[in-house]
Structures are given as structure tokens and as C-alpha cells.
Amino acid sequence: MFSHTSRTIRIRNIENDASRDTIAAYADALCGSYDQRKLLGIIPLRHSDGKCLVSLAPQSGRQTATITLPSKRLKQKVSATTHQDWSFDDNFNDLTVLHAPLESELDICAVHGLNGNAFDTFAWQGGQMWLRDFLPTHPQLRNSRIMTYGYSSLLNDSSNTTGVQEWASGLLRAVSSVRESSEERSRPIIFVCHSLGGLVAREAMLELNRDARLRKSRLYDGLEPQYCGLLFLATPHSGSLIGIWNDYLIQLAQLSGLRAHDFSQILGAFNGSSRISKRDFGLLDPPIPFECLYETRKMRVGAGKEIIVTAEAAGMNDVAAEAMGDVDHVQICRFPHRTHPGYDQICRCILRIRGRISTAVSAKTGSGHEVLEPLVDQPQPNNPAFDESSQHRPRYPTEADQPIAQRSVIQGGKARGGNISFDGRRFDVGGGYAEGGSADLQDGKNFYGSVEGGIGSGGTLRM
């Protein structure tokens, strides 16, 4: 059984000649005439620029739309609408494409957690949803195809016998089905996962790795491990620690309105499978780039307030989780406006992961640059090319380091306005730091480098 959205509907099988304006006009019509809306105080929800909260994107040979309505009552009425061709629902099961530019350079797919919904999990108070309403206008990510995946995760559904392996396979099948062309199949894809949805995506990477070895009889031929990356939002990777895991189960049970004993029976298998999955994930070759974020605000569970997923539980395989300030377990994946620090932090994580995927693919295919050996992170306040709030910062080599003899040159570059970041393993370069500007990193004889040209053809990084 799937959960239902509070105010948003999905419309599938829309004709290809329909436009976003068509959907916006339809949203207006759903709310009745202007006089009726004025009398009842009902208006369609809109962006600050006046545009309706709608989306329209190609999917499976037709188009899929979403419309966020002013009230739950109106949503329920519209969900029951019948149309000659269009299909209406409010459960967002399976894959929903929210944004798909003609020349996409990246795929982004959101995965919700248990008792979640593929839309509302990432929407602020059931309204603005950052993947649909903010990300398509981000200067460095607007050329991304953006999707969200829904699965039957209601814990109070006694007839639901599916588990993490079935959910993982379903995720792979759904995403693979829309990556049909050779260009799409060689496009980086990043899964943005909330809570236990991260365990589903992590298991999916193990299943994908097994499938990739089959070669001739593959089930998920639209996906290759080398093009995948993961961003975990408050995912409890350290479930193998019995005390932490039991505390987590109790807290989630209280949030879900279930008895802890019943909840533990439902999710008890996650403990053992999580431990094995985490170990096997760390052994993947090629390794899957990932980053982890954790919440910093307590939320009410039962009679008190608790941190649901701690910093220790959110990290995985020697990769420490990064804090997102002033958000709880629910708010870590939904934001009220595009200037929210948490939204900006997620975008920077996505850019870093994309850079690491591109670097790894380039190194494997021999595209003309070497990979620097890892250096221990430390702050670098005098370098404007790196964000001060990130926990993954490069550092300059010191006299105690072995001399660095590598020199790499990356010319041209496809990315626009990309970022330079350091993840503790290698340098990632995506299009330069600033248009027409330069960023220099210098430390005497041990290391030197510069970024010239910024974005566009001809930009050069020398290290």
C-alpha cells in the first residue's frame, strides 16, 4: 500500500503537444472561476514569480504532470477525476519525472524512507517541493533530469510482505527503464535518499553490481555502477550496533504510531542485512561515491524529544557524516525556500558527487588527467574556491608530506559554472570556479595549481 500526498496530484499519459502553460491553466480551472475563488478565498499555490506549483516532463513516450492544490479536500476531489486519456493519482508510486531538459547532463532520483511518500517527503508542509520547484533553476544543476521514486512502505499495512531487496530491485527497474539511449546510460545519476530509503538505495547498488557482472542477461541495462552516486540524508548506516539500532526502532515506532514490539518485528531483519550490506558496499569495485548528512535538532517522540539518527549512526565505512544545521529528522529533506542553508548544502553535495563520478570515469577511460593521492582534510580559509562550511576540504601539503610529482591538465570541460571540491580522495573539477576568474592553490615546491578561464571551452586546470 502506498501513502497519499496531502495536496498534490500526479497526472500521467498526457499528450506530447501539451505545454506547462496548459497544465497551469488546468490548475487554475480546477479551483473554479475567479469569482468563486475570490468568494471562497481559494487560489492555486504559486511561486514568488507568480507561476503555479506545477511540473510537466516527458516520461515513457508521453508526459507526466504534477499539480499542488490549495487544500486537501480539493486534492481528493481532483484525484477522483476521470479523463478520456489522462490518469490521475495521489500516491506517486513508482517513478515520477519532475523535470527533463532537452540536453540533460545529470540524472537525480529521490528515494523516500519508510512510511514516506515520493512527493510529500521532500515537500515543505505539502507545498513547495525543492526537487520540482527549486532545483530546475539552480545555475549548475538546471540541466538535470529530476525524478522521485515511490514504493509501498506503509508500516501499518499488514498485507505488505515486501522488504528492502524487493524495494531495491523495483528502484533499479524503474530508473533503468527511462535510461534508454546510449547517452542516457552514460550519464551520471545521483540518488538522494532520506532515512531508511538510503538502505534501499545502498542495497540497490549491491544488486546493480551483481547484475553488471552478468553482462549478457542483465536486468538493469540502463544503469552502470560507475555512473552512480548516493547522497544519504539521515540514513542509519550503523544499525549493526544493537543499542543504537534498538533505540532507532523505538523512536521510529513512536513517530509512526506503532507499538515498538510490532515495529521491531517488521524491521528486525534490517539489523542483520544492514550490517552485511554496509560491509559489502565498502568492497564494491568501482567504489560508489557518496556523502552523508545528519540532523542536528531533536524532534518529539513519545513523551520527550530525541535525535532520531545521530552523527555516529549516519556515517558509513570511515566516512563521517556532515551536519545540517537547525533541522530535525523530517526537515533534513524539505525546505521552505531556495535560500535555505540546507538546500544549498544539498546542492553542493550533489555537485561534489557528480565531480567524483566524472573524475572516476575519466580516469578509467584514460581521458587525459591523473588522480592525486588523498590528503587529510583541514580548513583552508584563504581559498575562495572552497566553501568554509563543508567538512570535506582540501589542504595544502606540508613538509611532513611526501613530495607530490603529479601534474594534471584538464582542458575544455563540459560543465558550466561547476565546482572544485576535495573529498579526501581526489580533486574534482567541474567547469571552473568563476567566469573569467581564477583560483590558485600554492604551497612552495610541494604543490601548485591554478584554474584559468572559468567556464566554457578552453578552461584549464594545472596541478
Side-chain angles (χ1 to χ4, degrees), residues 247-453:
D247 289 345
Y248 178 70
L249 290 183
I250 292 171
Q251 290 162 3
L252 267 188
Q254 292 172 325
L255 282 175
S256 305
L258 299 175
R259 292 183 303 168
H261 174 71
D262 294 337
F263 194 89
S264 296
Q265 285 187 324
I266 294 171
L267 288 181
F270 265 105
N271 188 27
S273 64
S274 177
R275 180 174 65 252
I276 297 171
S277 173
K278 183 174 69 171
R279 180 200 65 193
D280 291 347
F281 183 85
L283 298 176
L284 287 179
D285 185 20
I288 306 293
F290 70 93
E291 294 198 13
C292 309
L293 301 180
Y294 68 93
E295 69 227 45
T296 52
R297 285 184 65 88
K298 296 179 179 181
M299 64 183 304
R300 185 166 296 281
V301 286
K305 289 187 175 182
E306 300 289 344
I307 292 289
I308 305 300
V309 176
T310 64
E312 293 77 13
M316 180 173 63
N317 296 344
D318 298 326
V319 175
E322 178 182 332
M324 182 181 290
D326 202 31
V327 296
D328 60 28
H329 188 70
V330 172
Q331 296 167 343
I332 196 170
C333 59
R334 55 182 68 167
F335 311 105
H337 47 76
R338 67 183 72 244
T339 59
H340 191 281
Y343 168 67
D344 178 67
Q345 186 176 8
I346 280 184
C347 290
R348 286 187 279 109
C349 287
I350 292 173
L351 288 168
R352 286 197 297 265
I353 296 170
R354 182 182 69 174
R356 291 168 59 188
I357 295 172
S358 299
T359 299
V361 170
S362 297
K364 183 175 180 179
T365 58
S367 58
H369 70 275
E370 303 173 35
V371 178
L372 297 182
E373 292 301 315
L375 297 174
V376 180
D377 293 350
Q378 71 178 32
Q380 219 173 130
N382 295 324
N383 182 3
F386 296 92
D387 186 84
E388 185 66 19
S389 65
S390 172
Q391 288 191 354
H392 296 289
R393 305 184 184 99
R395 74 170 175 85
Y396 304 134
T398 65
E399 294 297 329
D401 295 312
Q402 296 294 324
I404 295 179
Q406 295 99 327
R407 172 175 177 140
S408 300
V409 178
I410 303 173
Q411 295 182 324
K414 185 177 180 181
R416 287 187 175 183
N419 69 321
I420 306 170
S421 64
F422 188 80
D423 65 0
R425 293 184 179 180
R426 56 178 67 88
F427 270 101
D428 303 325
V429 180
Y433 171 65
E435 183 174 0
S438 64
D440 295 318
L441 308 172
Q442 300 177 10
D443 187 54
K445 63 181 180 180
N446 286 327
F447 178 74
Y448 66 95
S450 65
V451 179
E452 301 172 347

Side-chain angles (χ1 to χ4, degrees), residues 152-167:
S152 56
S153 65
L154 286 183
L155 294 174
N156 57 2
D157 179 11
S158 59
S159 63
N160 185 9
T161 61
T162 56
V164 62
Q165 292 182 336
E166 291 83 3
W167 295 329

Side-chain angles (χ1 to χ4, degrees), residues 45-308:
L45 296 179
R46 297 179 182 274
H47 293 284
S48 57
D49 60 6
K51 294 182 179 179
C52 289
L53 292 181
V54 304
S55 67
L56 181 68
Q59 182 175 353
S60 302
R62 299 282 279 178
Q63 293 194 95
T64 297
T66 68
I67 300 175
T68 298
L69 297 161
S71 70
K72 182 177 182 178
R73 182 179 178 183
L74 182 57
K75 187 262 324 187
Q76 291 172 333
K77 179 180 178 181
V78 174
S79 297
T81 301
T82 58
H83 189 280
Q84 183 177 356
D85 298 312
W86 296 1
S87 171
F88 295 75
D89 71 77
D90 63 351
N91 56 36
F92 280 74
N93 65 302
D94 207 66
L95 198 71
T96 304
V97 180
L98 300 171
H99 178 67
L102 291 177
E103 296 185 1
S104 298
E105 300 172 352
L106 174 69
D107 280 349
I108 297 173
C109 182
V111 185
H112 65 83
L114 295 182
N115 260 16
N117 174 272
F119 189 91
D120 275 9
T121 290
F122 304 95
W124 182 261
Q125 298 179 349
Q128 294 201 104
M129 195 257 211
W130 63 274
L131 290 147
R132 179 191 67 178
D133 302 318
F134 304 161
L135 211 54
T137 60
H138 189 282
Q140 294 165 278
L141 294 170
R142 60 189 173 194
N143 289 329
S144 303
R145 176 168 57 179
I146 304 167
M147 305 167 279
T148 184
Y149 177 73
Y151 55 99
S152 56
S153 65
L154 286 183
L155 294 174
N156 57 2
D157 179 11
S158 59
S159 63
N160 185 9
T161 61
T162 56
V164 62
Q165 292 182 336
E166 291 83 3
W167 295 329
S169 296
L171 171 62
L172 292 175
R173 284 194 300 270
V175 175
S176 179
S177 69
V178 298
R179 290 167 62 94
E180 300 178 302
S181 68
S182 59
E183 184 277 327
E184 288 173 316
R185 294 178 178 185
S186 61
R187 181 188 300 167
I189 177 169
I190 298 173
F191 296 90
V192 179
C193 318
H194 177 242
S195 192
L196 288 174
L199 302 186
V200 173
R202 196 179 71 190
E203 177 63 29
M205 294 300 99
L206 298 177
E207 173 67 15
L208 179 61
N209 187 66
R210 290 189 289 266
D211 181 70
R213 295 177 182 177
L214 297 177
R215 298 186 181 277
K216 291 184 179 180
S217 57
R218 293 195 58 193
L219 296 174
Y220 320 113
D221 55 2
L223 287 165
E224 294 286 349
Q226 70 192 68
Y227 298 113
C228 296
L230 299 170
L231 175 56
F232 297 109
L233 307 177
T235 293
H237 293 292
S238 296
S240 59
L241 299 176
I242 300 300
I244 294 176
W245 185 252
N246 288 341
D247 289 345
Y248 178 70
L249 290 183
I250 292 171
Q251 290 162 3
L252 267 188
Q254 292 172 325
L255 282 175
S256 305
L258 299 175
R259 292 183 303 168
H261 174 71
D262 294 337
F263 194 89
S264 296
Q265 285 187 324
I266 294 171
L267 288 181
F270 265 105
N271 188 27
S273 64
S274 177
R275 180 174 65 252
I276 297 171
S277 173
K278 183 174 69 171
R279 180 200 65 193
D280 291 347
F281 183 85
L283 298 176
L284 287 179
D285 185 20
I288 306 293
F290 70 93
E291 294 198 13
C292 309
L293 301 180
Y294 68 93
E295 69 227 45
T296 52
R297 285 184 65 88
K298 296 179 179 181
M299 64 183 304
R300 185 166 296 281
V301 286
K305 289 187 175 182
E306 300 289 344
I307 292 289
I308 305 300

